[in-house]
Structure formats: C-alpha cells, structure tokens
Amino acid sequence: MTISQLSHVAMEMGVILLSNGAETYRVEESMHRICLALGAQEAEIFCVPTTIIISITMDDTAPLTQTRRIHTRITDLTKVDEINHLSRKICYEAIPYDDLISEIGRINAAPSYPYVLQVLAFAFISQMFTLFFGGNLQDSCIGFVIGIATKLLMDLMGRLETNSFFINMIGGAIAALVAVTASGLGLTTQMNTIIIGSIMTLVPGLVITNAIRDIIAGDYLSGLTKGVEALLIAAAIAAGVAVPLSLLRPFWGG
Amino acid sequence: MTYFLPCLYAFIASFAFAVVFNIKKNKLLFSALGGFVGQLTFALFQLIISNDVVLYLFATIAISLYAEIMARLTSSPTTIYLAVALIPLVPGGGMYYTMLDFINGEIDLAISTGVHTLLISGALAMGIILVSSSVTLTRKVMLKRRHLKEKRESA
C-alpha cells in the first residue's frame, strides 16, 4: 500500500467516525492503529471536533500530511460501531486497498431508520418523558403531538442549514407554545410536566457523554468544546421555552 | 408500582432515543435496557437515601458499569450504551424550573435551583469518570500481571 492510499483509508475512516458522533480520543486512537497496522512507520494524528490532521512517515518516501475539515456532524452510532469494528479487523488481517475502500463506502452509505420511524421515535420520547415526570395519559398525548411537531420543524430548519443553536431554540419554543396553548384551552393542568417531557427530546445526551469521556481521556480541547456546546444547547432550549411562556401567559394564565 | 412505572417509561424513552441515534437492530434492546437499569437503581436507592444528588451519582455509576460491561461483551464503543442510558438522568426538569424562576423574577430561587441542577450534572460526570477510570485501571493492572506471569514462565 502506498503512502497516499494509506492516508486516504485512515482519513476516510476518521472522518466517518468524527462526523457521526465518536469521541475525539477514539478517532485519534483508531486512526493511529490503522496507520501502524497498514505499514506506516510513524503516524501523528491531531483531532478536534471540526478538524483532522494526519501526518504519516513511511520507508523511502517523504512524509505526508493531510488535513480535513468537518462541516456537518450528525449522530449515527451504527457507523461509529462498524468503523470501529473494521479498524480492529485491519489490525488482525491484511485487507487489500480496494476491498477496504468498498467496505468503507458500504458502511458510509448504509441507510438509517425510515423517516416515519424517526418521527415516531421523537413522539414516543416526548410522550414517555411526560409520563415519566408525572403526567397523566391526556398530558402524554399532548407530549406526543409536540414530539412530532418538534421533529418536523427541526428537520425543516436543518434542511435550510440553520445553526444548531437556533434550531434548539425553535424546538423549545414549539414545546412551550403547544403546552401553553393546551393549558389555556383547559386540556391540561400540568403544563410544566409537558414542557419538561418534551424538551427532553432536545437534550444533548451524546454531547455531554462525549465531553466527559474526552476530558477523562485527556483531550481537554475537544472536551471543553463539547462541554460548551452542551451548555449552549441547554441555554438555547431554555431561551426558546421562555419566549412563549412569558408572551402567552399573561393572556391565558397558567 | 409507583417505583416500577418510571423504569418502564425510561426504558421506552431510551429505546426511542436508540432509534434516533440509529443504533443497529440487535444492539437496540440492550442499549435501551441501560435506561431501565439507571432508573431502577435510582428507585431502589430512593428507599434508603434522601439526597437526590447522591441518587443521581449511584444511578450513573450503575449505567456506566452496565455500559462498560456490555461494550466488552459485544466489542462495541461504550458510547452506544452510555449515551442512550444517560438521557433519562439528564436534569431537564431542573433546567426548566431554573428558567421559570428567572422569568418569574425570583432570582434567589432561580440561583438555588440552578446550583442544584449543576450539582446533579456534576454527579453525572463524576459517576462516568469514576467507573471509566477504574475500568481502565483494572485492565492495566490485569495486563501487567499477565505480562509479569509470562515473563516469569519464560525465565
């Protein structure tokens, strides 16, 4: 395998890991392992949530450095799992370059769950958390509706490439808007429970987990970045919820 | 039943979150079970401990242990199990009431609720750090012991 092929394989796998929700230390570790297993003499990898820099040294050739900027980050843990699996497999057995590329392509192109199922998942999260925080069945049905509305609107905003801060703000605003309206119409007495249950769909659980795990691993830069991201998302949700609450409550009470 | 129902809700919610995170079908159930484990621990310790920050710490330790064990058994990243199980423990309620107190103009109450929420978040972080670090430590000690043994046998 030539140095440019090696760098290509490692970079592609790193990009898939980083853009689908893996911890930073996992990306660095996996890429390092891959490079050494594929025959690099030395490999230095630097990775932050938005950039990967890789520098490889191999026998008889000049060192090669490559940089990649990550623009969009989504959450698809199956891809993380499968790439992780593949990187371990590379260490145990020799896989030809073409097979590796086609395998990476297959993993990257794997479809996620159907859209209807994702919307339903949001609805169920919202409904279950409303029950979880002490709502009754009727409250949970309002939560169900909010879940669907939040998901649909957030995806629409995502397609228009709005930043995640504003998307979460809108998500919180919808939850509060529907809950305050329902409370105003006399459909429920537990407005607070419904709002809390519905904003749980927006809570950045993966970001928090990864922030903590990155800090444990010694990646303070990435850990702090993600920690701040989680804090900002939480602040955005709170700000989004505050707007309908303060605007509508004087009219409807509650 | 009042203790069991929240566990069931947490389980279904975690399951739905696993779908949102696009976890593969055969790992879906096990990652969702983490949410159940966390809530069960919370409910059980509730009978003897009244401080809820400590309760959150114990629940996080339980789900972290569960996640580390499952990750070793299925040779997958720990995040798959941990992130899904952690979500029911995230203090969304505390966040909301902090904000509510602020817009109601009750700053003192808002600060005390906010600090409480921060403490809970700290407990979550501490739980993950405790388990993750001890697992790494145990593994290192075991590897070293095995290494020493091999050395002695070859000598």
Side-chain angles (χ1 to χ4, degrees), chain A residues 23 76 78 81 113 192 249, chain B residues 21-23 27 79 96 104:
Chain A
E23 309 98 308
D76 187 336
T78 293
D81 189 13
Y113 284 106
N192 294 345
R249 261 198 323 185
Chain B
F21 287 163
N22 198 23
I23 293 173
K27 284 167 189 159
T79 327
Y96 173 73
N104 284 344

